[in-house]
Amino acid sequence: MDNLHNGTQDIHALIVDDDDVDREKLLRLLRRSPRNITVEQASSQAEALGMIREPQAHYDIVFLDFGLKDGDGRDLLPEIRAEIDPDVPIIAVTGHVDEQIAADSIKSGMTEFLSKRSLSPERVAASVEEGMAWRKYRQDMRRAEEELTHRSLHDPLTDLPNRTLFADRLSQACARARRSGDPFAVVMIDLDRFKDINDSLGHAAGDAVLVTIGRRMREHLREVDTTARLGGDEFAVLLQNVDSDESALAVAVKLTELIEQPIVHDGRLLYVGASMGVALCPQLGYSPDGLMEAADEAMYEAKRGTDKAVIARGEQRRPTRTDERTLLHDIEDAMGARAFNWHWQPKVDMASGQVLGFEALVRWTHPDNGPVPADALIETVEQSHLLEDFTYLTLDTVLEQYSRLERGLDGAGISINVSARMLERPGFVGHVVESIRKHGVDPAHVVLELTETALIAHPSQAKRVIEQLHDNGVSLSIDDFGAGFTSFGYLREFAVREIKIDRSYISRFTESRFDQSLVTSLVVLCDCLGIPLVAEGVEDPETQAMLVAMGCTCGQGYGICRPMPYEDVSGWMAGWNAEQGERRLRA
């Protein structure tokens, strides 16, 4: 394995076979391979176990017989994978020629099945090459998944843990404290004067501040502690084994001094400060959300006062801002008046031009303040008692619209975004099914979009709900794939119709080799699983052409079409189809 990593062609092989003649024959065939192959031999299961358990043992490929004197060779598979390499190719070489045995061997983890009766130098050499190619593919996929996982759990600017990873570690700390009494502290940090730097000197200066502050905190805290960037100029720190106000404040003072040190950028000295709120566990309980909220409230107390750090006592409660209350009230009035609009954005096959579907995106113009950003609207609704009513209003309105267009859309479906919190509502599936039935829509044309983090936050509940929806013909799309706690394992667990790769990967696509290799890996994976891969945020022809060339033909973004009012969909569809027809004629 080391030789392969060093770029040479040397291979270290292991033959496990209790027949001396068969071992010698395979050895001769391997030595005739174009590669330089070093071979070790084991004549029994016990001998093979001893060899692979040696601390320095490594093998690039294993040739394994089934019928050993002291057991079935296939019983060695778990040990080989665990002790040597999970991606080592294992070639079955046996006198059995039964097709079912061959199929079962492949299912059990063998890379290939060879019959001793048909061995030849060419066949053995081909098996070696195919095994090495398979191994490289597996290793490349594993590295891509590890990199994707890292990126989904870390802030791209500072490389600190992000909100998702911080929440996970906080939950673990709470469970550990409840079980064994280990104390800890949560520190919320908001930078002072950061906005002035960002606005007056530009985002490059602001980014330099964030990177420097993040590096300073990470370098001066212990390895057991966690420093995270939650977003904007907001950081959080998880301090292990801190059990008193004095200890927590001492660390807060240290962090304040680090942050207040001048930062040199582009020949200038930049100065920022910080306001901090600290919540202690177990003093304030074992709830991750409760501790975060308490630390956040204490941090706002620090911003309003003269102390740079405030210890949460449990009694502070930051009042709901007047504008938030007013916005929520106005949203409720707008729901009653059905004042929301849903704009439709097409999703197309960028190679053929076929329209595959539309995503319904909410839009609202406040009667006094003008258009409200969709993100702000959704965030406000998701954290309120209006979520369920708003979701059902969305389903009812969009499905009613779709029912009037369904026959003219040539099979293109409709995608509707759903909050993760709706998976907890007992009547959710029934309401979806009833709304589809009410409007006479083919459920096969309805797709619910859930963010990847929704599946991870409540996996067992999500799985039950998704299976119920699937049983009723309703499909699931994973939105923003790669932005959350990414694991390819979820693609096997859930009945997924499509994956929408997060737009952050597409935005840098033409310049980032990693993003290009990631898309290539996902194309291969999704093709194997029979799941379409959709690129979100396709903004220009160059990105579109590169995606198509790599096999990612499904796309959505401003470079294809901006979201349009529902009333414009039919006209756009006719114009798009006519344009694509002319393009095919010219081709």
Side-chain angles (χ1 to χ4, degrees):
M1 181 165 60
D2 296 335
N3 289 332
L4 288 176
H5 289 172
N6 291 333
T8 68
Q9 298 297 307
D10 293 355
I11 294 177
H12 199 182
L14 172 64
I15 300 175
V16 183
D17 195 324
D18 61 359
D19 190 302
D20 297 342
V21 174
D22 289 341
R23 286 201 314 275
E24 182 62 29
K25 178 183 178 181
L26 181 55
L27 177 61
R28 289 197 308 272
L29 294 175
L30 286 170
R31 286 175 174 168
R32 295 174 64 180
S33 169
R35 292 180 183 255
N36 181 22
I37 302 179
T38 303
V39 180
E40 291 189 38
Q41 304 177 49
S43 61
S44 67
Q45 189 180 94
E47 185 179 2
L49 281 172
M51 294 173 67
I52 64 178
R53 287 173 177 171
E54 286 289 332
Q56 302 303 317
H58 75 268
Y59 300 100
D60 301 307
I61 191 167
V62 177
F63 294 88
L64 181 62
D65 191 12
F66 292 169
L68 303 175
K69 295 176 182 177
D70 56 349
D72 192 322
R74 285 169 290 192
D75 295 339
L76 291 170
L77 262 66
E79 290 281 351
I80 294 172
R81 298 285 189 213
E83 298 290 341
I84 299 178
D85 182 353
D87 299 321
V88 64
I90 303 174
I91 313 296
V93 184
T94 177
H96 298 286
V97 292
D98 184 87
E99 292 184 0
Q100 186 60 48
I101 293 178
D104 291 343
S105 300
I106 300 300
K107 289 180 181 178
S108 69
M110 299 284 191
T111 312
E112 193 174 354
F113 183 94
L114 298 179
S115 170
K116 291 182 178 180
R117 300 177 186 177
S118 57
L119 289 182
S120 67
E122 295 76 19
R123 190 70 191 92
V124 171
S127 296
V128 171
E129 296 305 318
E130 290 167 6
M132 294 300 101
W134 179 85
R135 180 169 179 242
K136 183 179 183 303
Y137 168 76
R138 288 285 300 252
Q139 290 173 338
D140 289 346
M141 286 292 293
R142 195 181 300 279
R143 280 192 291 268
E145 181 172 358
E146 289 171 355
E147 180 65 23
L148 180 58
T149 299
H150 179 85
R151 289 183 60 166
S152 70
L153 297 176
H154 290 78
D155 171 54
L157 178 64
T158 64
D159 202 39
L160 292 174
N162 61 13
R163 185 181 293 272
T164 301
L165 182 54
F166 185 81
D168 180 67
R169 292 185 179 175
L170 177 56
S171 296
Q172 293 181 34
C174 287
R176 190 164 53 248
R178 185 187 295 274
R179 183 174 62 251
S180 57
D182 295 344
F184 66 89
V186 177
V187 184
M188 297 291 289
I189 304 171
D190 190 78
L191 301 184
D192 301 328
R193 300 184 298 277
F194 174 78
K195 187 177 185 299
D196 296 338
I197 293 174
N198 219 31
D199 292 346
S200 60
L201 300 180
H203 292 296
D207 288 351
V209 169
L210 295 172
V211 170
T212 302
I213 297 301
R215 184 182 67 249
R216 286 177 182 174
M217 290 195 292
R218 179 171 51 195
E219 290 176 350
H220 286 82
L221 290 173
R222 302 164 299 175
E223 289 188 8
V224 296
D225 301 324
T226 297
T227 303
R229 182 187 175 207
L230 303 186
D233 61 343
E234 188 176 23
F235 294 83
V237 178
L238 185 61
L239 300 172
Q240 301 291 349
N241 302 314
V242 172
D243 59 359
S244 67
D245 295 358
E246 293 75 16
S247 299
L249 283 175
V251 177
V253 169
K254 178 182 177 181
L255 291 175
T256 301
E257 292 172 350
L258 288 172
I259 292 171
E260 290 180 344
Q261 292 176 13
I263 298 168
V264 180
H265 174 71
D266 199 21
R268 298 174 182 263
L269 290 178
L270 309 179
Y271 294 89
V272 293
S275 300
M276 302 186 189
V278 183
L280 295 172
C281 176
Q283 289 89 326
L284 293 182
Y286 303 95
S287 165
D289 290 341
L291 290 167
M292 289 280 285
E293 182 181 355
D296 195 50
E297 290 165 355
M299 183 262 290
Y300 275 90
E301 184 74 17
K303 291 187 81 70
R304 291 192 295 266
T306 57
D307 294 331
K308 294 179 180 179
V310 171
I311 301 292
R313 304 296 178 188
E315 66 272 9
Q316 304 113 315
R317 283 295 180 268
R318 181 158 50 103
T320 304
R321 295 182 306 182
T322 302
D323 58 343
E324 288 179 346
R325 290 202 305 268
T326 302
L327 179 61
L328 199 59
H329 176 75
D330 292 344
I331 290 173
E332 192 166 13
D333 287 346
M335 288 173 58
R338 286 185 170 257
F340 296 106
N341 294 306
W342 279 267
H343 285 201
W344 289 29
Q345 185 176 31
K347 174 180 60 185
V348 306
D349 185 317
M350 296 180 290
S352 69
Q354 179 186 359
V355 179
L356 304 173
F358 293 85
E359 179 181 0
L361 303 164
V362 68
R363 298 289 185 266
W364 179 45
T365 299
H366 190 280
D368 299 322
N369 303 327
V372 176
D375 290 348
L377 171 63
I378 295 299
E379 182 179 356
T380 302
V381 170
E382 281 195 329
Q383 302 304 318
S384 76
H385 65 285
L386 300 177
L387 175 62
E388 193 165 345
D389 290 340
F390 181 83
T391 301
Y392 294 151
L393 172 64
T394 301
L395 283 167
D396 187 61
T397 305
V398 173
L399 290 175
E400 191 274 330
Q401 292 176 343
Y402 182 76
S403 68
R404 287 186 263 142
L405 294 180
E406 185 173 12
R407 291 185 179 179
L409 295 181
D410 300 329
I414 185 67
S415 297
I416 302 171
N417 292 282
V418 177
S419 166
R421 293 178 57 199
M422 288 304 298
L423 301 182
E424 304 168 3
R425 308 300 165 97
F428 173 63
V429 174
H431 198 107
V432 171
V433 173
E434 173 56 27
S435 189
I436 291 172
R437 187 203 60 77
K438 170 186 171 183
H439 294 292
V441 171
D442 184 350
H445 290 163
V446 179
V447 180
L448 299 185
E449 291 197 11
L450 285 169
T451 61
E452 179 192 0
T453 49
L455 305 184
I456 294 149
H458 309 283
S460 58
Q461 174 68 10
K463 192 171 189 296
R464 285 194 297 271
V465 172
I466 291 165
E467 286 175 349
Q468 292 172 17
L469 290 168
H470 185 264
D471 290 343
N472 285 279
V474 181
S475 300
L476 165 72
S477 172
I478 300 182
D479 197 13
D480 299 337
F481 188 78
F485 205 131
T486 303
S487 171
F488 294 139
Y490 285 101
L491 305 184
R492 294 188 296 268
E493 292 295 323
F494 299 102
V496 177
R497 171 171 172 173
E498 71 177 15
I499 295 170
K500 302 181 79 173
I501 188 170
D502 186 62
R503 65 182 65 247
S504 64
Y505 297 104
I506 304 303
S507 65
R508 304 181 297 264
F509 185 69
T510 57
E511 302 171 356
S512 171
R513 288 181 177 272
F514 171 79
D515 292 330
Q516 293 168 19
S517 63
L518 170 67
V519 170
T520 301
S521 298
L522 284 176
V523 166
V524 173
L525 178 67
C526 291
D527 185 58
C528 292
L529 296 174
I531 302 173
L533 178 66
V534 180
E536 290 189 293
V538 179
E539 306 293 341
D540 55 75
E542 183 183 2
T543 299
Q544 186 171 333
M546 285 185 66
L547 286 166
V548 171
M550 291 182 176
C552 180
T553 60
C554 303
Q556 182 179 348
Y558 283 11
I560 298 171
C561 180
R562 289 174 174 266
M564 72 190 88
Y566 158 73
E567 293 78 13
D568 297 345
V569 172
S570 292
W572 176 88
M573 188 80 175
W576 175 270
N577 286 338
E579 180 182 334
Q580 299 306 309
E582 292 176 3
R583 188 184 66 152
R584 286 190 289 270
L585 287 175
R586 290 195 300 268

